[in-house]
Amino acid sequence: MTAAADAGPRHAAVWDALAGVLAAAGNGGLTVVDAGGGSGGFAVPLAERGHRVLVIDPSPDALAALASRARDRGVADRVSGRQGYLSELPALAGPDSADLLLCHSVLDRVDDPGAALAAAARVLRPGGWLSLLVAGRAGAVLARALTGRFDEAARLLTEPAGRAG
């Protein structure tokens, strides 16, 4: 199974970027925190490769879907979820607890991206890796329009700061 084959171009690009980190760690070598990881699009494939993954997400529905997906794929022992926000990562995951922090598509949803990212980075162990994905305004508008969320797309297009949150 290749995670890149199961996802669209954006996910495939992230998997390509993470390939070196994952190869260096080998199977089961990483403790991963997935901030805003939702239903486990990255968490479950990482757990299938033997890594331990903690997903922090504000949505209880997404975390329920994560638990179900992890059970269905046989990796529930390596995936856990906690409800919370990006700025709460150090308290929820613990400082210096992660070898890899995934922070995909969450910075555009917070009031102070710099402060949230600084707080989140405290979960990284020395020498840890950060995978940061932030959509540009054009991409974010297009993504919302393509999924039928036209009101959100229009708001984002006219938002002076260019933030979705």
Side-chain angles (χ1 to χ4, degrees), residues 2-164:
T2 62
D6 293 344
R10 180 184 73 137
H11 284 160
V14 172
W15 284 111
D16 287 347
L18 290 175
V21 174
L22 298 175
N27 284 337
L30 297 176
T31 298
V32 181
V33 172
D34 189 352
S39 62
F42 283 98
V44 170
L46 284 168
E48 288 175 327
R49 295 175 180 194
H51 305 290
R52 293 163 312 282
V53 187
L54 171 61
V55 175
I56 307 294
D57 197 280
S59 169
D61 293 337
L63 293 173
L66 166 71
S68 177
R69 178 184 275 180
R71 268 192 315 277
D72 291 349
R73 302 277 283 268
V75 294
D77 60 324
R78 290 188 297 278
V79 176
S80 59
R82 292 191 189 142
Q83 190 174 0
Y85 295 93
L86 184 63
S87 61
E88 301 172 314
L89 281 187
L92 294 168
D96 298 329
S97 61
D99 301 304
L100 173 62
L101 169 59
L102 305 181
C103 189
H104 299 162
S105 303
V106 292
L107 283 184
D108 59 340
R109 300 179 186 275
V110 299
D111 290 331
D112 187 345
L117 186 58
R122 291 198 301 267
V123 305
L124 281 173
R125 292 183 176 133
W129 292 86
L130 169 64
S131 176
L132 180 64
L133 181 64
V134 181
R137 184 184 296 217
V141 169
L142 181 61
R144 282 160 180 81
L146 289 174
T147 57
R149 297 174 1 221
F150 301 113
D151 290 344
E152 286 181 38
R155 274 194 309 275
L156 181 57
L157 189 59
T158 58
E159 156 64 31
R163 290 200 310 258

